[in-house]
Amino acid sequence: MGHLLSGNGDEGAATRGIVEEGAEGLPSRFKRSQDHHEAYRKLIRWELDDEIASTERRLRNWSRERLVSNGVALFDLVAKPDGWLFDQRVVKLGRRGRGDLGSHRFRQGDIVMLSRGDPLSERPIEAIVSERRRNSIKIVLPELPSDIRKDSWRMDRGANRVAYDRMRDALNAIFQEEGGAPLRELILGLVHDPAGTASLPPQLGGVRGRSYSLDMNLNEAQRSAAKAAVEQRMTLIQGPPGTGKTHTAVRILEAWAQQDMGTVLAVADSNVAVDNLLEGLLKLGVRAVRLGQPVKVREGLREATMDALMEKHPLRRDLVEHLELNEKLGRKIKGMRGGKEKGLAHRDLSRGWKEVRKIEGQMRDDILDKAQVLCCTCIGSGHELLDGRRFPQVLLDESTQATEPASLVPIVRGARQVVLVGDHKQLPPTVISRRAESGGLSKSLFERMMGMGIEAHLLTTQYRMHPAISEFPNGAFYDGLLVDGVDSDQRPTPAGVLWPDWDAPIAFIPVDGGEVVAPDGESKENAVEASWVSKIVEGLLDTGDVGMEDIGVITPYAAQVRAIRDVLPESIQDVEVKTVDGYQGREKEVIVFSCVRSNSDGEVGFLSDPRRLNVALTRARRGLIVIGDPATLRFDENWEGWLRHARERNFEAWHILGMS
């Protein structure tokens, strides 16, 4: 951490202008590729610099107590080896005596730093979280430190420089006139008619694909979108909550695989979304390979990872033999005094390692050559393993959650046909740097393409929610264009809550007060609402109508996540509690939403974003319970609209308050 990158001081008048203009300062169409390159290069550098600076400030200035209370560091951990995850070592961390780790923010897939005491003065060990339990955390790392069992360890959240490097390289490729991005002029808006150009047949180098068929189970809107995706150069597909955008994406990938025009690249911003694509493809019998750290892949899908396939490859035996010979020769060399014999042994060892690398390359190439679809994150597609490979067909799922530079990483791998699947009415890309966000980094490529006049195909039938739950978001966010593909009989009202209307499983519990600033000085929490969440969840579980796996608790604030977890009884700790931002693309039978904000100033913070409201209200299949302070929420026009809807439909659950 001592060698962390820092900011460059004056970033130039051009970028200051971007910030002054706000998100709209980035045009939909650029006059020159250089303009695109310069603007985004500065924005991603700001994002990295501000993330690193924030990490350094935290490590330098925060007390141990503040770090722990904010859940970003754990101290006094003992470690022990805990097996292997393919070729990486697993280490289990916990307290002496198996004590509770308490509330923290470390999740599967997080990059973390291990140190003895001070990651700023030491050279910390970088690792990835593979599993978290109440009293332990498992991490994976390439090599096991020899002193892993000695003394105690500290664990901190780390920064991700790899993402910056790969986005920068993608921007450089777009910048180059003769670069590897055949669609660069369309992407930059340098063509006269972007919409017309996007609708043209893809230029696939004269290769004629085989015939394909689309799944008969696609509805009319899904089929129309999928057909356009297979036949056009660039297609945008907008999938509102529950309309089957991932299902549609998988069927497009299946059709491309049938065409057999080379390996297809399927990406998404998050590992969860990538796994959803992979799962769908494997169920259809498509030869799909997952690129990325196995620890970040859903356990049931790890057999499709590159690491797992390498272990099963026919050349694996040859590889192991060469590794054993190299290891044996390495031990022999240590016992030699020197001279010609030792020099010749070093030569043989060098040749041995060269042969190992050759065999590994042959195995990887064979796996990739046989894959019909390669699945990975946007950033993962920039891995050097794929250098020299071209992917003419690229699909980005949940593309509205990816920044444009992240979306470009897979596209510059030679894409001649691109499908962007997403919903700009749901959450935007997560941007840490406020100046980068103000400069327009939170605007996705999907949105910018729409701004150029490329119309998105709208999926119009929702299959997730009880019709009463879908009613408000349909009218408020989608102009009433959605229709329900399920009826109330298919989404029976859950027992365990005294619903204001048993035929419409929605309840708004109006709670007054409780908002406080969390110990981190930034986030918010509400103990009153946390207590009500616990009561509601216990009531739902007591009936046996739904299980812990069926309930999701969501809230806008990370501090409230911790506050809720702290009050949930030990017996129901398996109920999933997450921020709204962590729930995009997810669903549960019942959702309990804690709004948190309760103040006399009418400040609603994160809640003011209508996209966050949309996501919060559309995760539930059978029941939605909202806990919040109406006196504060009504200051926001979107929340006022929902409160008015709840009042008109008699969803206000005042009677529940009287039962406490």
Side-chain angles (χ1 to χ4, degrees):
M1 290 289 291
H3 59 303
L4 291 176
L5 300 170
S6 59
N8 294 328
D10 187 358
E11 300 287 353
T15 311
R16 282 198 296 274
I18 289 172
V19 175
E20 289 167 2
E21 291 182 49
E24 299 303 319
L26 284 176
S28 291
R29 304 176 69 169
F30 291 84
K31 294 180 180 179
R32 309 174 302 161
S33 62
Q34 292 94 325
D35 297 333
H36 180 280
H37 177 266
E38 183 174 338
Y40 279 104
R41 183 178 60 82
K42 289 176 179 177
L43 292 176
I44 64 170
R45 181 55 190 245
W46 285 350
E47 175 78 348
L48 176 66
D49 286 349
D50 288 358
E51 181 182 6
I52 290 173
S54 174
T55 302
E56 286 188 329
R57 280 195 304 273
R58 185 170 71 235
L59 295 174
R60 208 170 266 117
N61 301 326
W62 285 22
S63 66
R64 171 168 170 160
E65 290 73 23
R66 188 178 180 186
L67 290 166
V68 171
S69 65
N70 194 40
V72 294
L74 292 171
F75 295 85
D76 303 323
L77 300 173
V78 292
K80 65 176 183 179
D82 196 61
W84 295 79
L85 181 61
F86 300 110
D87 60 344
Q88 298 209 335
R89 295 306 306 266
V90 180
V91 172
K92 186 176 183 179
L93 299 158
R95 307 278 190 213
R96 283 190 171 85
R98 293 179 59 82
D100 195 328
L101 291 179
S103 182
H104 60 80
R105 296 167 64 178
F106 297 103
R107 301 288 181 266
Q108 182 183 2
D110 284 353
I111 297 171
V112 297
M113 301 176 294
L114 284 186
S115 63
R116 291 298 187 180
D118 184 6
L120 287 175
S121 61
E122 303 173 30
R123 192 167 188 89
I125 300 168
E126 194 170 270
I128 300 172
V129 176
S130 66
E131 182 184 297
R132 60 162 283 166
R133 296 186 179 277
R134 199 169 182 86
N135 58 5
S136 67
I137 288 181
K138 291 184 181 181
I139 60 173
V140 295
L141 57 170
E143 295 183 9
L144 189 69
S146 58
D147 60 347
I148 190 69
R149 291 179 178 270
K150 187 178 178 182
D151 301 323
S152 62
W153 294 90
R154 164 182 175 173
M155 186 166 73
D156 293 87
R157 291 175 70 90
N160 188 357
R161 286 190 208 81
V162 173
Y164 167 79
D165 291 339
R166 292 178 180 176
M167 288 189 289
R168 179 201 59 207
D169 292 345
L171 288 167
N172 289 341
I174 284 287
F175 171 67
Q176 296 165 359
E177 295 282 341
E178 303 299 325
L183 292 176
R184 64 181 292 277
E185 292 193 353
L186 172 58
I187 289 170
L188 299 177
L190 300 178
V191 296
H192 174 69
D193 179 14
T197 303
S199 66
L200 293 173
Q203 295 176 312
L204 297 170
V207 178
R208 291 180 64 95
R210 298 178 181 176
S211 61
Y212 70 91
S213 61
L214 291 172
D215 181 49
M216 295 301 295
N217 291 323
L218 293 172
N219 63 42
E220 186 177 347
Q222 293 170 336
R223 178 173 293 276
S224 175
K227 188 172 186 296
V230 178
E231 297 179 355
Q232 295 182 172
R233 229 167 261 191
M234 177 178 283
T235 306
L236 311 183
I237 300 175
Q238 183 187 357
T243 56
K245 57 181 179 290
T246 299
H247 172 70
T248 306
V250 167
R251 292 301 180 174
I252 293 167
L253 293 169
E254 180 189 35
W256 276 351
Q258 291 171 0
Q259 288 185 311
D260 194 25
M261 290 189 289
T263 303
V264 174
L265 190 55
V267 300
D269 188 64
S270 71
N271 283 289
V272 172
V274 176
D275 285 348
N276 290 339
L277 290 174
L278 177 64
E279 184 176 41
L281 290 166
L282 294 175
K283 286 180 178 177
L284 294 175
V286 177
R287 296 193 305 278
V289 174
R290 178 71 155 90
L291 184 65
Q293 291 278 1
V295 65
K296 296 185 178 183
V297 179
R298 198 178 303 153
E299 188 171 354
L301 301 173
R302 288 177 182 169
E303 291 303 307
T305 62
M306 175 66 74
D307 297 73
L309 295 170
M310 289 277 286
E311 285 197 350
K312 296 178 179 179
H313 197 275
L315 290 177
R316 176 72 181 178
R317 182 177 294 179
D318 291 347
L319 179 66
V320 171
E321 287 178 0
H322 279 86
L323 287 170
E324 290 174 348
L325 286 171
N326 289 349
E327 187 178 344
K328 185 178 180 181
L329 184 56
R331 289 196 300 268
K332 184 179 178 181
I333 290 173
K334 287 181 180 179
M336 292 182 176
R337 290 189 174 184
K340 185 177 180 180
E341 185 182 1
K342 190 170 184 178
L344 291 172
H346 273 295
R347 182 201 64 185
D348 292 341
L349 185 59
S350 176
R351 289 176 176 174
W353 284 117
K354 187 176 180 180
E355 185 64 22
V356 165
R357 290 192 293 272
K358 178 183 175 183
I359 296 171
E360 286 179 334
Q362 289 173 337
M363 292 164 67
R364 283 193 292 264
D365 286 344
D366 184 51
I367 293 167
L368 291 173
D369 289 343
K370 291 177 179 176
Q372 292 176 295
V373 181
L374 179 64
C375 301
C376 57
T377 62
C378 293
I379 298 301
S381 67
H383 197 288
E384 58 269 16
L385 179 68
L386 303 181
D387 288 352
R389 290 183 173 270
R390 317 304 288 167
F391 299 90
Q393 296 166 305
V394 177
L395 182 144
L396 285 79
D397 196 14
E398 300 288 3
S399 64
T400 47
Q401 284 197 282
T403 66
E404 179 163 335
S407 297
L408 293 178
V409 176
I411 289 174
V412 299
R413 289 287 188 189
R416 295 177 178 274
Q417 189 174 19
V418 172
V419 177
L420 304 177
V421 185
D423 183 13
H424 57 293
K425 299 291 187 179
Q426 298 186 62
L427 288 171
T430 300
V431 177
I432 295 170
S433 168
R434 291 184 179 178
R435 56 178 174 164
E437 183 177 17
S438 297
L441 189 58
S442 61
K443 189 175 188 179
S444 66
L445 178 62
F446 184 104
E447 286 184 278
R448 193 166 65 77
M449 293 297 99
M450 288 189 68
M452 284 165 40
I454 301 175
E455 188 175 347
H457 293 260
L458 179 68
L459 306 183
T460 54
T461 304
Q462 77 85 14
Y463 300 96
R464 174 185 298 161
M465 295 164 275
H466 186 292
I469 299 174
S470 70
E471 182 184 4
F472 177 80
N474 182 19
F477 306 116
Y478 301 103
D479 300 320
L481 296 174
L482 307 185
V483 297
D484 295 312
V486 293
D487 58 34
S488 56
D489 291 339
Q490 294 170 285
R491 298 290 183 265
T493 300
V497 174
L498 193 59
W499 302 96
D501 182 348
W502 185 259
D503 295 323
I506 300 174
F508 174 58
I509 302 177
V511 177
D512 180 20
E515 176 188 325
V516 297
V517 178
D520 65 4
E522 297 179 3
S523 192
K524 303 288 190 301
E525 59 185 50
N526 189 315
V528 176
E529 290 189 15
S531 177
W532 272 105
V533 168
S534 183
K535 293 175 185 176
I536 294 296
V537 171
E538 288 184 82
L540 285 164
L541 292 172
D542 281 346
T543 66
D545 190 11
V546 293
M548 283 187 277
E549 71 282 1
D550 300 318
I551 301 173
V553 179
I554 58 178
T555 179
Y557 293 94
Q560 185 70 350
V561 170
R562 297 192 296 276
I564 292 169
R565 287 199 177 111
D566 286 343
V567 299
L568 286 177
E570 178 74 27
S571 60
I572 59 173
Q573 281 290 323
D574 287 340
V575 170
E576 192 171 54
V577 187
K578 287 182 175 281
T579 63
V580 179
D581 298 58
Y583 238 84
Q584 175 113 349
R586 306 284 308 285
E587 63 180 45
K588 290 285 186 178
E589 297 299 309
V590 183
I591 288 289
V592 183
F593 179 46
S594 170
C595 299
V596 178
R597 303 310 302 264
S598 180
N599 55 76
S600 57
D601 299 323
E603 293 288 337
V604 298
F606 287 146
L607 292 172
S608 64
D609 190 334
R611 295 169 296 188
R612 188 166 281 107
L613 175 60
N614 184 21
V615 172
L617 298 179
T618 55
R619 302 304 96 193
R621 288 164 51 86
R622 293 172 52 195
L624 172 66
I625 300 132
V626 179
I627 305 170
D629 182 353
T632 299
L633 296 175
R634 68 166 54 101
F635 279 88
D636 178 79
E637 63 176 330
N638 294 297
W639 274 97
E640 168 58 24
W642 191 82
L643 290 172
R644 186 169 57 252
H645 174 78
R647 189 165 53 252
E648 292 171 351
R649 299 294 192 278
N650 295 316
F651 295 150
E652 294 174 316
W654 296 97
H655 58 286
I656 293 179
L657 296 176
M659 297 171 60
S660 64

